[in-house]
Amino acid sequence: MTGTAQGDGRLTGGKLVLAAIVLGIANFMVVLDTTIANVSVSHISGSLGIAPSQGIWIITSYAVAEAICVPLTGWLAQRFGAVRTFMWGMIGFTAFSILCGSSTSLAMLIAARIGQGICGGPLMPLSQTLLMRIFGRGKSGTAMGIWSATTVIGPIMGPILGGIISDNAVWNWIFFINVPVGLFVAFGATRFLRGIDLPTSKVRLDVIGLIMLIIWVGSLQLILDLGREHDWFEYDLIVGLAIVAVVVFTMFVAWELTESQPVVNLRIFRYRGFTAAVMAQSIGFAAFFAAIIIIPQWLQQSLGYTATWAGYAMAFVGVGTFIMSPVVAKMTQRRDARMLASVGLLGLGFVALMRVGWTSGADFWTLATPQIVQGFFTAFFFIPLATLALGSVKPQEIASAAGLMTFLRTIGGAFGGSIGATIWDDQAVVARSEIVGKLNSLAIEEQMRQTGMSMDQIRGSIVRIVDQEALALSTNHVFLLSAIVFATAAAIVWLAPRPAAAPSAGAAH
């Protein structure tokens, strides 16, 4: 095999191509696993004997664990080396994928998903860093093109692949497929990335800050996931978790603001542009991720979609994003990022309003069309806000700002998914009560009896219709609230001043 390594870490020839493939596949696989389980929750819930609402934990546990580990990436790379951390992270991700597929209970699956998130969290930023290193500054555009393409394609393929596997095999294989890919990437890292690492150093880890971060984030996520099942603050455990979350969060903020090497650099919030952009992105992503979780559940529980067809309906969102991302990236260099971000957020709000009109009789294209439109606005949402946030900080602080932005976006998605699912469940109960209160069941029973149906069949049919319409009304309610959230985020963007300059290409993701 031809190809050499330069003194600065750049590769050439065939070695460069193979190393880029390895890093691109790694990033693709980690991003894929954020969405691959979304359309499979019903299958997993049925197999493990749990309620679909409990199945949401399978998604949020991964997202939270991943978010917590993102701030550790810099320390791990300095302490152990980027390549070594990347390789062992991939090995751990693969091992936990085996445990996910082998799970026989919800507790085991959640524990394995947390392990996946812990090992997978550093892989996205590390794949980006290593791509930049092997291509060198002169070809940073090519490096970011590979990284961005795999980041966009992953969410597209996740629902499709998850649906096909769940419908045609068993759900376990949505995790087992990671195994051969993970082994290939781990081998490729040792074979093609050897010799490009920078010297390591024994940098100190903010252990106290990390422990407090895990405690308050974990407590808050447990509140959101357990609350809807246990009547919220009527349950003593929820009250206890709330107290822990508030106290530890307060201590965490005080500690990180005074710590010389904090695990999360909260001092970045002194920049008004960064604060406004990150607030808008986190709030917007919460509403965005809630839709990613709720729509597949509604399609399968209420409309009778298979996991495969739910995946097809969801996947259209990635098409517009893939097309518009390079266009928006160029526009951001010439236009006010605040204006572009507002267009994206208001566009996503418009898409949410399109969904408010959904009914239980909606056909496939009625459901898929908003996904296509959303894809175009998604590019306006992510890229300008990243530019705005990172363009507001000093160059030497871009790495810390990018890590904090990724952390808050991922946390926002996890929390948004839990809150959205809670509202969806609660509103379905309210809507069902209202429908039953207005239902003239005697007239309906008489009409059905004339068709030859038995009383048990009649009652079963009425219950199914009521439940179906209640879920449709609940879905409409969630998206109406989402539209308001997107509009609020669009307003927050304008609290930021226009950045004087865009950050470097490698930092904006």
Side-chain angles (χ1 to χ4, degrees):
M1 179 183 62
T2 61
T4 59
Q6 307 296 319
D8 57 0
R10 286 184 296 120
L11 301 179
T12 59
K15 195 170 184 179
L16 171 63
V17 173
L18 292 172
I21 290 172
V22 166
L23 293 170
I25 290 175
N27 186 55
F28 171 80
M29 188 167 71
V30 173
V31 177
L32 180 83
D33 267 56
T34 62
T35 60
I36 195 170
N38 290 18
V39 298
S40 304
V41 168
S42 297
H43 286 268
I44 298 172
S45 300
S47 174
L48 299 181
I50 59 174
S53 59
Q54 293 178 299
I56 302 300
W57 286 46
I58 300 164
I59 302 169
T60 57
S61 59
Y62 177 84
V64 170
E66 188 178 55
I68 289 174
C69 284
V70 166
L72 290 177
T73 304
W75 178 83
L76 289 168
Q78 290 181 62
R79 180 66 181 83
F80 302 105
V83 174
R84 183 181 296 178
T85 302
F86 175 85
M87 181 189 69
W88 283 106
M90 182 53 64
I91 291 173
F93 185 88
T94 304
F96 280 109
S97 295
I98 295 173
L99 291 176
C100 285
S102 304
S103 296
T104 56
S105 67
L106 178 62
M108 181 178 176
L109 180 54
I110 290 173
R113 283 288 276 175
I114 291 173
Q116 258 193 327
I118 290 172
C119 295
L123 293 179
M124 280 185 67
L126 283 175
S127 64
Q128 182 185 32
T129 300
L130 292 172
L131 278 167
M132 292 290 291
R133 189 174 298 173
I134 65 175
F135 277 94
R137 289 176 179 254
K139 296 181 179 179
S140 62
T142 302
M144 285 303 97
I146 295 172
W147 192 86
S148 298
T150 54
T151 300
V152 171
I153 294 173
I156 299 175
M157 293 301 299
I160 296 175
L161 195 57
I164 292 173
I165 291 173
S166 297
D167 284 340
N168 296 283
V170 289
W171 65 266
N172 312 72
W173 278 98
I174 68 175
F175 301 113
F176 286 148
I177 60 169
N178 292 337
V179 177
V181 180
L183 292 176
F184 167 76
V185 170
F187 170 79
T190 60
R191 182 72 177 83
F192 308 124
L193 299 176
R194 185 182 302 163
I196 72 166
D197 234 337
L198 297 176
T200 59
S201 59
K202 292 186 177 181
V203 291
R204 184 174 63 85
L205 174 63
D206 177 19
V207 177
I208 295 177
L210 175 61
I211 292 173
M212 288 192 289
L213 174 68
I214 294 171
I215 291 173
W216 78 259
V217 171
S219 297
L220 187 54
Q221 187 63 47
L222 284 172
I223 291 170
L224 295 173
D225 286 338
L226 287 173
R228 63 178 180 271
E229 300 172 19
H230 297 283
D231 200 17
W232 295 101
F233 293 100
E234 297 298 321
Y235 187 42
D236 290 342
L237 178 61
I238 299 297
V239 175
L241 287 170
I243 294 172
V244 170
V246 172
V247 172
V248 176
F249 174 74
T250 304
M251 295 170 59
F252 171 79
V253 172
W255 178 270
E256 295 299 278
L257 289 174
T258 55
E259 170 65 23
S260 59
Q261 295 179 321
V263 68
V264 177
N265 187 6
L266 299 180
R267 300 184 189 93
I268 300 294
F269 283 118
R270 70 183 184 275
Y271 299 105
R272 182 161 55 93
F274 175 84
T275 301
V278 168
M279 283 179 61
Q281 187 182 71
S282 300
I283 292 171
F285 194 70
F288 182 88
F289 199 75
I292 292 177
I293 289 179
I294 290 171
I295 293 175
Q297 301 306 305
W298 180 58
L299 294 181
Q300 293 177 81
Q301 290 182 36
S302 185
L303 302 193
Y305 274 57
T306 63
T308 301
W309 279 98
Y312 289 152
M314 291 295 296
F316 281 101
V317 69
V319 177
T321 307
F322 186 77
I323 294 172
M324 290 302 296
S325 289
V327 177
V328 175
K330 291 182 179 179
M331 292 177 65
T332 305
Q333 297 174 5
R334 305 188 304 270
R335 305 286 184 181
D336 188 339
R338 296 170 301 176
M339 184 271 291
L340 296 177
S342 294
V343 168
L345 286 163
L346 291 175
L348 292 174
F350 169 73
V351 171
L353 290 177
M354 291 175 66
R355 292 171 175 151
V356 170
W358 279 352
T359 67
S360 56
D363 61 27
F364 178 83
W365 286 108
T366 299
L367 301 169
T369 299
Q371 298 295 109
I372 299 172
V373 178
Q374 178 177 303
F376 286 91
F377 286 114
T378 298
F380 284 91
F381 169 46
F382 282 105
I383 297 173
L385 281 175
T387 301
L388 185 61
L390 301 181
S392 302
V393 305
K394 295 179 180 178
Q396 63 269 27
E397 294 176 310
I398 285 179
S400 295
L404 180 56
M405 181 175 63
T406 302
F407 165 74
L408 290 173
R409 183 182 68 232
T410 308
I411 286 293
F415 290 173
S418 293
I419 294 170
T422 298
I423 295 173
W424 190 54
D425 288 339
D426 292 346
Q427 285 301 310
V429 173
V430 173
R432 191 179 191 280
S433 298
E434 293 177 351
I435 292 172
V436 170
K438 298 177 181 179
L439 184 65
N440 185 355
S441 58
L442 293 177
I444 295 174
E445 288 177 9
E446 181 59 31
Q447 291 176 7
M448 290 184 171
R449 190 179 296 112
Q450 292 176 2
T451 65
M453 296 177 66
S454 68
M455 185 55 66
D456 287 340
Q457 291 174 324
I458 291 171
R459 289 172 179 168
S461 297
I462 291 175
V463 169
R464 284 192 297 272
I465 293 171
V466 169
D467 288 343
Q468 187 177 50
E469 296 307 315
L471 280 176
L473 291 173
S474 178
T475 303
N476 292 167
H477 183 87
V478 169
F479 287 121
L480 181 59
L481 292 178
S482 296
I484 296 172
V485 171
F486 283 125
T488 302
I492 291 174
V493 169
W494 291 97
L495 296 176
R498 185 173 184 173
S504 63
H509 297 276

